[in-house]
């Protein structure tokens, strides 16, 4: 596939699922032609679509010939300011089941051609980072409209809470986490824990991984301190059709930071592997 030259078409938009909370999104497409393939990009816990590497990643995907939509989960806490966590109550009320509802909605809208300039894409891929990787695995297992999957630093389990946090939920209905980047104390309400208890079978990432039937690339840094590379190996073992790309010496964000700086070797390696995977697996991108 030839890399597109010239200015990308880049638009911001919104969509509102039936639950009534807004999902804010960015749409990027090549300067010419209508892509037959599309990629949805999902951020992780304490993430947002404009963080660090996401704009660079999305631009590279669009220049490779895909319609690309990145988005903020409806309760991710950033609100209309996009770059700041200004709605901590929304962040606290978020659950993984809500994120799955959002991701299903985004796949449906993409397949319906909501963000296309004429013709709906024939093939849709998902790319999720960290917790967004876990929700992307589950969504791919559940939604027949997903044609390919890439996960970056994905979690193999969504049960990541300490005994103290569980005690806080049971005693007070809220626990608090610190955002290391901003210094904010961010609430997590008991609804998050209740969601895990009520929907444990659905939220089992490894069980979902065993049901993934589309081409799947797992990308993980060998020195990830947040989600150990052992979790990538668990996903690879569970996902019989998956492939694993370990980026040696790299961490959870492949050395990308926010505000963004120039692309790092680890990030470039993750992006190049992902581009190649989607070129092969999203049949609409073949030429």
């Amino acid at each position: 596939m030839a890399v597109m030259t010239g200015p990308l078409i880049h638009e911001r938009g919104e969509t509102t699922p039936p639950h009534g909370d807004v999902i804010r999104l960015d749409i990027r497409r090549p300067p010419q032609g209508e892509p037959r393939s599309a990629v949805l990009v999902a951020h992780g816990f304490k993430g947002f679509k404009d963080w660090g590497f996401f704009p660079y990643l999305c631009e590279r995907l669009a220049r490779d010939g895909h319609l690309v939509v990145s988005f903020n989960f409806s309760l991710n806490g950033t609100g209309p300011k996009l770059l700041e966590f200004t709605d901590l109550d929304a962040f606290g009320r978020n659950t993984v089941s809500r994120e799955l509802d959002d991701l299903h909605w985004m796949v449906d809208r993409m397949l319906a051609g909501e963000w296309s300039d004429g013709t709906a894409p024939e093939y849709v891929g998902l790319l999720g980072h960290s917790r967004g990787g876990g929700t992307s695995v589950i969504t791919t297992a559940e939604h027949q409209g997903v044609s390919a999957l890439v996960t970056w630093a994905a979690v193999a389990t969504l049960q990541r809470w300490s005994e103290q946090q569980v005690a806080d939920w049971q005693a007070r209905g809220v626990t608090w986490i610190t955002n290391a980047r901003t210094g904010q104390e961010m609430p997590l309400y008991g609804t998050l824990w209740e969601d895990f208890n009520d929907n444990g079978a659905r939220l089992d990432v490894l069980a979902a991984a065993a049901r993934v039937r589309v081409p799947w690339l797992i990308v993980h840094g060998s020195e990830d301190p947040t989600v150990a590379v052992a979790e990538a190996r668990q996903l690879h073992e569970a996902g019989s059709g998956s492939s694993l790309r370990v980026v040696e010496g790299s961490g959870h964000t492949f050395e990308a930071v926010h505000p963004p700086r120039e692309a790092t070797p680890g990030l470039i390696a993750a992006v190049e592997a992902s581009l190649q995977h989607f070129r092969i697996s999203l049949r609409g991108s073949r030429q």
Side-chain angles (χ1 to χ4, degrees):
M1 167 182 277
V3 176
M4 303 293 176
T5 59
L8 292 175
I9 298 170
H10 180 194
E11 303 167 326
R12 293 190 186 271
E14 296 180 352
T15 182
T16 306
H19 55 55
D21 293 309
V22 173
I23 294 174
R24 295 174 175 88
L25 53 93
D26 279 50
I27 308 155
R28 293 175 175 88
R29 59 168 59 88
Q32 296 178 342
E34 185 62 27
R36 296 175 61 199
S37 58
V39 179
L40 281 167
V41 178
H43 66 76
F45 183 58
K46 291 189 290 184
F48 48 94
K49 66 179 176 62
D50 297 292
W51 185 91
F53 59 61
F54 286 112
Y56 170 77
L57 165 64
C58 293
E59 288 173 10
R60 290 294 309 277
L61 288 165
R63 290 200 179 279
D64 223 43
H66 309 289
L67 169 64
V68 183
V69 176
S70 57
F71 65 97
N72 287 338
F73 286 106
S74 58
L75 294 180
N76 85 319
T78 55
K81 287 193 174 182
L82 301 179
L83 295 174
E84 302 173 20
F85 287 103
T86 56
D87 192 345
L88 294 183
D89 180 68
F91 180 87
R93 291 186 290 111
N94 196 20
T95 66
V96 176
S97 289
R98 164 59 78 95
E99 292 188 352
L100 289 172
D101 289 345
D102 287 352
L103 199 42
H104 273 264
W105 172 263
M106 295 297 288
V107 175
D108 288 341
R109 294 297 87 211
M110 184 74 91
L111 289 168
E114 183 163 324
W115 304 298
S116 303
D117 189 18
T119 304
E122 298 178 39
Y123 311 103
V124 173
L126 291 185
L127 191 157
H129 177 250
S130 196
R131 188 164 92 177
T135 55
S136 294
V137 171
I138 297 171
T139 300
T140 301
E142 294 178 341
H143 201 303
Q144 294 184 353
V146 179
S147 298
L149 173 65
V150 174
T151 54
W152 283 15
V155 297
T157 176
L158 292 161
Q159 295 274 14
R160 314 189 77 81
W161 317 114
S162 68
E163 292 182 3
Q164 182 58 56
Q165 288 172 316
V166 173
D168 289 344
W169 281 320
Q170 293 173 334
R172 298 190 294 274
V174 62
T175 191
W176 297 84
I177 60 169
T178 302
N179 186 321
R181 182 177 61 86
T182 67
Q184 291 171 289
E185 292 296 317
M186 307 178 77
L188 295 172
Y189 299 137
T191 48
L192 179 63
W193 179 242
E194 292 166 6
D195 182 41
F196 282 114
N197 290 332
D198 293 343
N199 301 289
R202 187 189 187 197
L203 303 183
D204 186 331
V205 179
L206 289 177
R211 302 194 305 273
V212 171
R213 296 291 181 265
V214 303
W216 174 15
L217 172 66
I218 300 166
V219 184
H220 213 105
S222 67
E223 307 305 314
D224 189 336
T226 304
V227 180
V229 70
E231 295 196 44
R233 301 191 192 282
Q234 288 179 301
L235 291 170
H236 182 42
E237 183 177 353
S240 59
S242 67
S243 57
L244 175 61
R245 170 72 162 90
V246 175
V247 182
E248 293 298 333
S250 208
H252 190 60
T253 63
F254 307 98
E255 290 66 69
V257 295
H258 188 83
R261 300 173 187 167
E262 64 183 30
T264 64
L267 178 59
I268 291 170
V271 170
E272 292 298 331
S274 303
L275 293 176
Q276 181 64 20
H277 180 74
F278 282 135
R279 286 172 193 158
I280 295 170
S281 59
L282 291 179
R283 291 178 294 161
S285 69
R286 293 179 180 170
Q287 294 184 356

